[in-house]
Amino acid sequence: MRRSVLSLLAATAALSLGFAAPTRAAAEDAVVIPAPAMDASPASGIQTAVVAGGCFWGVQGVFQHTAGVVNAVSGYAGGTKATADYQTVSTGRTGHAESVEIKFDPKKISYGKILQIYFSVAHDPTQLNRQGPDTGTQYRSAIFTTSDEQKKVAEAYIAQLNSAKVFSKPIVTKVGALEAFYPAEAYHQDYLTLHPNQPYIAFNDIPKVENLKKLFADNYIEKPTLVSASKATN
């Protein structure tokens, strides 16, 4: 659905173009889930989490409205540098998943809380190689861990949620070590904030931010932490 429009966007940089409205009846619903029984140990300094859950616009938007996140960048993980561009990733044959690199302050938000938000409101972890209207391995649910501790926390949390049967179907999220993260093209960054009224964003992604505000009020911030603002301060 997004590929033909974004081909034109990349060629013309005409970011105001719209999308045909999706044919689905409703956006994905959030699921109330328990916090992880196991979490990462307290740490100092900025930490990194990388997750994939369908179109990176919505996932980035959710974490840009999450307190304790100092930057959330849309990009690609799971493949090589040579294929880390939107047109090639969109073939579904690169090994890449549309992903979001989350830099966070562990004194303000834990890795476990990031995963709770990820599983609850950022995407549906029971959909295999798809998310909502988007299909293909590039839209898979995946957690790319940056340490053995992250791997243990993520795997334990998935087991916990499956055991509790909080979802109607088993979680299909894959957990694996992050080999590299490649930021996406500039026109993908801050997309939800820049295009809130675009039909795709309004239908599929704005509800995720609204669910974050409703279900994780203590972790929600009204003003998003944007990539453009981060670049301006560096």
Side-chain angles (χ1 to χ4, degrees):
M1 175 177 290
R2 295 183 303 136
R3 191 178 309 165
S4 60
V5 176
L6 281 178
S7 296
L8 183 59
L9 280 173
T12 64
L15 297 179
S16 61
L17 292 179
F19 290 77
T23 57
R24 294 162 61 240
E28 299 298 335
D29 293 328
V31 178
V32 177
I33 63 176
M38 176 191 297
D39 206 339
S41 303
S44 299
I46 302 304
Q47 305 291 307
T48 301
V50 177
V51 298
C55 172
F56 43 28
W57 295 342
V59 179
Q60 181 192 46
V62 165
F63 287 105
Q64 288 183 323
H65 281 277
T66 300
V69 171
V70 299
N71 202 13
V73 178
S74 290
Y76 313 107
T80 67
K81 182 178 181 180
T83 60
D85 66 87
Y86 182 75
Q87 294 302 318
T88 310
V89 171
S90 293
T91 66
R93 298 190 295 270
T94 66
H96 279 297
E98 291 196 11
S99 306
V100 176
E101 179 189 67
I102 303 161
K103 299 287 188 179
F104 65 99
D105 183 347
K107 293 183 178 179
K108 296 180 179 179
I109 187 171
S110 72
Y111 181 66
K113 178 60 69 174
I114 285 174
L115 293 185
Q116 186 182 14
I117 291 170
Y118 164 73
F119 283 120
S120 174
V121 303
H123 84 308
D124 178 353
T126 70
Q127 295 195 37
L128 181 64
N129 294 333
R130 66 168 296 146
Q131 199 67 205
D134 301 315
T135 60
T137 59
Q138 69 271 32
Y139 299 114
R140 67 187 182 274
S141 176
I143 299 171
F144 298 93
T145 59
T146 62
S147 67
D148 289 340
E149 183 179 40
Q150 284 192 358
K151 182 176 185 293
K152 291 176 182 177
V153 171
E155 290 179 341
Y157 196 26
I158 291 172
Q160 175 189 341
L161 295 176
N162 277 331
S163 178
K165 299 186 184 303
V166 295
F167 294 99
S168 60
K169 296 181 292 183
I171 292 171
V172 298
T173 308
K174 299 296 184 183
V175 178
L178 176 70
E179 294 186 2
F181 175 84
Y182 305 98
E185 296 82 351
Y187 64 88
H188 285 300
Q189 307 301 338
D190 305 335
Y191 207 92
L192 182 147
T193 297
L194 294 173
H195 305 281
N197 297 317
Q198 190 181 91
Y200 181 98
I201 293 293
F203 188 86
N204 294 287
D205 295 333
I206 294 298
K208 296 178 181 181
V209 177
E210 293 172 345
N211 286 330
L212 174 70
K213 182 177 182 179
K214 178 172 64 176
L215 298 183
F216 296 92
D218 291 343
N219 303 102
Y220 173 81
I221 54 173
E222 188 70 30
K223 183 179 179 181
T225 303
L226 301 181
V227 174
S228 56
S230 175
K231 290 180 178 179
T233 57
N234 290 336

